[in-house]
Amino acid sequence: MDSVICGDSILEIKNIIDDSVHLILSDIPYGISYDEWDVLHNNNNSALLGKSPAQAKSALFKTRGKPLNGWSEADKKIPHEYYNWCSKWADEWLRVLKPGASCFVFAGRRYSHRCICALEDAGFIFKDMIAWQKDSAAHRAQNVSVIYKKRKDAINEKKWTGWKVGNLRPLFEPILWFMKPYKIGDTLSDNIKDQELGGFNEIAIKSNPLSNKGLEICSNVIKCKTTSQDRGLHPAQKPVSLMKYLIEMTTIEGQVVLDPFCGCGSTILAAKELKRKYIGIEKSKEYCDIIAKRIFS
């Protein structure tokens, strides 16, 4: 059962049999044009992912993204295009999961609601939203007064002192928690007995190091630091310890964990270390090679 498939997950997942997976845990593309693999809309502007002189000096933002207001009327369609992209694989995700199985999706704050709607429309139950509270986050918001100073606009420089252009520091990321519906007429307790799925393991949560962070245990807020081992392999790399937390919370040893967008393989490594079976799908040959090194090193 253990395997990492190098290919397009929207196609490859069709080869996984029905009702065979106990958990899907995946950090999907957010659709915010972070990199080429994250451009999931019809882009008509050649400036996207280009570089300006200011970005060449920046350590935070290496390429140009679209402004929130967009560059054209076509950019207003991006949220709907993201919904359409999620809908391409949502039905298959539902099909391969066992009844009562959980599905955790790391989704960006901007379009997470579109992902929720796509999976609900496919038949998933949206169970909760978990906040992953990070210890740090890249952030750069310009002072409005500085902008006007460069324009030699002294009146507005003074008027807008203390105001900034940009977003607040993004210290949390949403983890969307879905569940595949169980058999009509059964109770959730029936499903836990028959499928070994549907509940969450309070003992595993309480014994996990992430629970000892000054937060309420078994809450929908998880505080997790990113260590040096969790950086440098992928621009959107997630902590292995966080993946372990979610896997232990909803599965038992020997069950199957699937990550259809497995990047550099943090989910796969976590599943292996917890004695779960795993299936990973990754389109990039480069990252498939990285996963192999992490698993077999």
Side-chain angles (χ1 to χ4, degrees):
M1 174 64 73
D2 292 344
S3 64
V4 176
I5 304 162
C6 195
D8 187 335
S9 71
I10 295 176
L11 301 175
E12 296 294 343
I13 197 171
K14 297 180 185 297
N15 298 319
I16 300 176
I17 64 174
D18 297 359
D19 303 319
S20 61
V21 173
H22 299 84
L23 170 66
I24 292 179
L25 170 55
S26 195
D27 179 18
I28 69 172
Y30 291 1
I32 56 175
S33 303
Y34 184 79
D35 206 334
E36 289 183 6
W37 46 262
D38 197 41
V39 178
L40 302 171
H41 58 272
N42 293 319
N43 175 43
N44 297 315
N45 195 296
S46 60
L48 183 64
L49 299 183
K51 292 184 179 181
S52 67
Q55 282 163 327
K57 301 176 183 178
S58 173
L60 298 180
F61 305 102
K62 295 296 185 181
T63 57
R64 182 186 286 113
K66 287 181 181 285
L68 290 178
N69 202 49
W71 282 320
S72 68
E73 285 296 314
D75 289 342
K76 294 179 181 179
K77 299 177 182 178
I78 291 175
H80 188 69
E81 289 176 291
Y82 187 69
Y83 166 88
N84 290 340
W85 177 77
C86 292
S87 297
K88 288 181 179 179
W89 44 260
D91 289 336
E92 290 295 321
W93 284 29
L94 187 74
R95 177 186 64 78
V96 302
L97 283 172
K98 288 179 172 288
S102 287
C103 171
F104 290 114
V105 180
F106 285 75
R109 292 172 300 281
R110 195 183 307 172
Y111 299 138
S112 60
H113 61 294
R114 296 288 181 167
C115 179
I116 293 170
C117 290
L119 268 68
E120 280 188 326
D121 288 350
F124 278 96
I125 297 168
F126 179 49
K127 188 169 182 176
D128 203 347
M129 181 183 292
I130 299 171
W132 166 32
Q133 183 177 329
K134 301 183 285 187
D135 55 321
S136 64
H139 182 240
R140 190 181 74 180
Q142 283 185 292
N143 290 304
V144 179
S145 59
V146 172
I147 297 172
Y148 288 122
K149 183 178 181 178
K150 291 179 178 179
R151 296 179 181 178
K152 303 185 185 304
D153 185 344
I155 294 175
N156 280 304
E157 177 189 350
K158 181 178 180 181
K159 178 178 180 180
W160 296 107
T161 296
W163 290 72
K164 291 198 169 189
V165 174
N167 296 329
L168 300 173
R169 186 178 296 278
L171 282 176
F172 95 94
E173 286 195 26
I175 305 171
L176 312 178
W177 186 1
F178 300 92
M179 182 175 73
K180 179 172 179 174
Y182 47 91
K183 182 180 175 182
I184 296 294
D186 281 357
T187 65
L188 191 51
S189 296
D190 293 331
N191 194 82
I192 292 171
K193 181 179 67 174
D194 295 339
Q195 302 289 341
E196 298 183 312
L197 292 165
F200 65 87
N201 189 343
E202 183 181 40
I203 293 175
I205 293 173
K206 288 182 176 179
S207 62
N208 193 294
L210 297 189
S211 295
N212 188 25
K213 299 292 183 181
L215 300 173
E216 182 181 342
I217 297 175
C218 296
S219 76
N220 59 359
V221 179
I222 305 172
K223 191 172 184 179
C224 178
K225 291 184 177 181
T226 301
T227 68
S228 58
Q229 287 75 32
D230 297 317
R231 292 189 289 268
L233 299 177
H234 192 283
Q237 190 171 343
K238 297 298 185 290
V240 172
S241 59
L242 179 57
M243 300 313 200
K244 283 185 173 181
Y245 185 97
L246 298 170
I247 291 170
E248 282 194 300
M249 187 171 84
T250 52
T251 65
I252 59 177
E253 288 188 9
Q255 292 186 332
V256 180
V257 178
L258 167 65
D259 186 349
F261 296 96
C262 62
C264 64
S266 295
T267 298
I268 304 306
L269 185 60
K272 180 186 177 184
E273 292 181 357
L274 292 173
K275 299 180 181 178
R276 272 63 168 178
K277 298 175 183 177
Y278 59 81
I279 304 172
I281 308 174
E282 171 53 42
K283 193 173 185 178
S284 166
K285 176 64 166 58
E286 175 187 357
Y287 290 125
C288 287
D289 291 341
I290 290 173
I291 295 169
K293 291 179 181 178
R294 297 183 82 187
I295 293 174
F296 299 116
S297 62

